[in-house]
Amino acid sequence: MFFVSFQEITNMKNILNNLAQLQEIDTQLATIEAQKGNLPQQVKVLEQAGVEVEERLEAATVKLGSDEKELKSLASNSEEYKAKLAKYQDQLYLVTTNREYDALTNEIDTIKTKIQEIRDQHTSISDEVVLLKAEITTLTEKQSELTGTLTKSRKELTSKTDLTNTLQRELEGRREEIAGRLSKRYLRKYERILEVRSLAVVPVKRRACGGCHKQISDQLLYEIKQGNQFIECEGCGRILVYSKNDDESNSL
Ligand SMILES: [Zn+2]
């Protein structure tokens, strides 16, 4: 042990205290930065969902239009064939030969088949129209729901961003102030560890490094608790500090 003056002891306590505060602020700033990424992402997801619903709605509406047109044309075709059928059926009474009768009956059968085909087509398209209308109703509801959520989310995003920016500026101001109290030597050391480990100052927890969990000897624990020395973890190189909150977990 070498002699350490009272002044130096107070000084080291201050340094460690400032470094711990700096770490707290940097952790908060990192959290803010991480959250910032999520918020616009949520709005983007909603916008994408809105575009998808709109596209599906448009496709369903176009299909409905063409189906309804098709139904009209089928109905008019059917009317034409029915008129023809009535005409041929009337002619049946006028035929004089078997050949004429057979030819006419063939015509009538063909027309009847055609009418049945049209009827089947009409039924299948009508079924599709029912489904399309239901889909359009569902999609329209979904669209209005999405629009509501999106408006709300955008508003939330704006106010959260404002709030986040204010908090961030405040934290950055405090960071600058604390960093200003530290000598360049300790600040650089702190920042180097932060860069590599993303956490530079860690408390001792359960008699181990709060960063890498390396066990700490009784002697070292005592020294860290005293707070008179700058102690780095032998395992990860992080700056070790003693937190009163973790006092219980460190007792024997
Ligand atoms: Zn460690």
Side-chain angles (χ1 to χ4, degrees):
M1 277 295 255
F2 51 91
F3 178 76
V4 183
S5 73
F6 177 73
Q7 183 58 42
E8 277 173 308
I9 287 173
T10 321
N11 205 16
M12 186 46 75
K13 277 197 201 306
N14 276 336
I15 288 166
L16 291 173
N17 189 21
N18 283 325
L19 284 172
Q21 282 183 55
L22 203 59
Q23 179 62 76
E24 214 170 282
I25 289 171
D26 279 340
T27 302
Q28 283 184 58
L29 282 169
T31 310
I32 286 173
E33 209 50 53
Q35 279 171 350
K36 259 189 182 176
N38 288 339
L39 290 168
Q41 189 55 33
Q42 283 166 14
V43 171
K44 252 188 216 163
V45 167
L46 283 170
E47 278 170 350
Q48 188 52 43
V51 169
E52 270 165 36
V53 167
E54 200 173 328
E55 278 170 3
R56 282 172 60 195
L57 197 56
E58 204 187 311
T61 309
V62 169
K63 184 84 182 101
L64 180 66
S66 81
D67 275 1
E68 279 173 340
K69 217 168 138 190
E70 181 71 13
L71 283 179
K72 263 186 202 159
S73 129
L74 284 172
S76 121
N77 281 351
S78 175
E79 285 312 309
E80 273 173 37
Y81 279 116
K82 277 177 186 164
K84 236 184 208 175
L85 182 66
K87 203 177 103 192
Y88 286 155
Q89 276 167 339
D90 283 346
Q91 281 176 10
L92 269 183
Y93 300 106
L94 307 171
V95 295
T96 49
T97 67
N98 276 345
R99 247 184 82 196
E100 271 180 335
Y101 184 85
D102 287 345
L104 207 50
T105 322
N106 271 342
E107 271 304 314
I108 287 171
D109 285 346
T110 309
I111 290 172
K112 276 183 177 167
T113 310
K114 204 76 199 158
I115 290 172
Q116 188 54 50
E117 270 172 27
I118 290 173
R119 197 174 288 152
D120 290 346
Q121 239 178 315
H122 195 279
T123 306
S124 118
I125 293 175
S126 296
D127 288 349
E128 197 178 68
V129 163
V130 171
L131 291 178
L132 279 170
K133 280 181 176 167
E135 193 188 347
I136 287 170
T137 307
T138 311
L139 286 171
T140 308
E141 279 167 10
K142 201 169 177 183
Q143 192 180 40
S144 94
E145 197 183 296
L146 268 172
T147 308
T149 315
L150 193 58
T151 310
K152 216 178 109 194
S153 296
R154 280 205 186 111
K155 229 185 240 170
E156 234 175 73
L157 176 65
T158 311
S159 74
K160 264 188 188 167
T161 306
D162 288 349
L163 206 75
T164 306
N165 287 345
T166 310
L167 184 61
Q168 196 171 20
R169 271 197 301 275
E170 198 186 299
L171 286 169
E172 276 163 359
R174 273 172 59 200
R175 190 190 194 282
E176 209 173 311
E177 190 196 318
I178 293 164
R181 289 188 217 141
L182 286 159
S183 72
K184 277 212 169 78
R185 185 185 149 209
Y186 288 112
L187 193 61
R188 276 208 201 108
K189 197 162 189 60
Y190 166 86
E191 274 165 356
R192 262 208 305 275
I193 304 171
L194 192 74
E195 211 181 295
V196 181
R197 301 282 182 192
S198 70
L199 204 61
V201 181
V202 290
V204 179
K205 274 184 181 166
R206 292 195 190 86
R207 309 173 69 82
C209 164
C212 72
H213 309 297
K214 186 182 165 63
Q215 284 296 307
I216 286 161
S217 69
D218 289 348
Q219 175 61 28
L220 200 58
L221 183 66
Y222 172 78
E223 283 167 6
I224 295 165
K225 200 170 178 177
Q226 292 294 301
N228 302 332
Q229 294 175 62
F230 190 87
I231 297 171
E232 289 160 81
C233 170
E234 288 168 7
C236 65
R238 290 187 179 94
I239 304 157
L240 290 165
V241 290
Y242 200 87
S243 157
K244 277 203 178 80
N245 299 334
D246 298 310
D247 217 6
E248 224 170 90
S249 80
N250 292 316
S251 57
L252 280 167

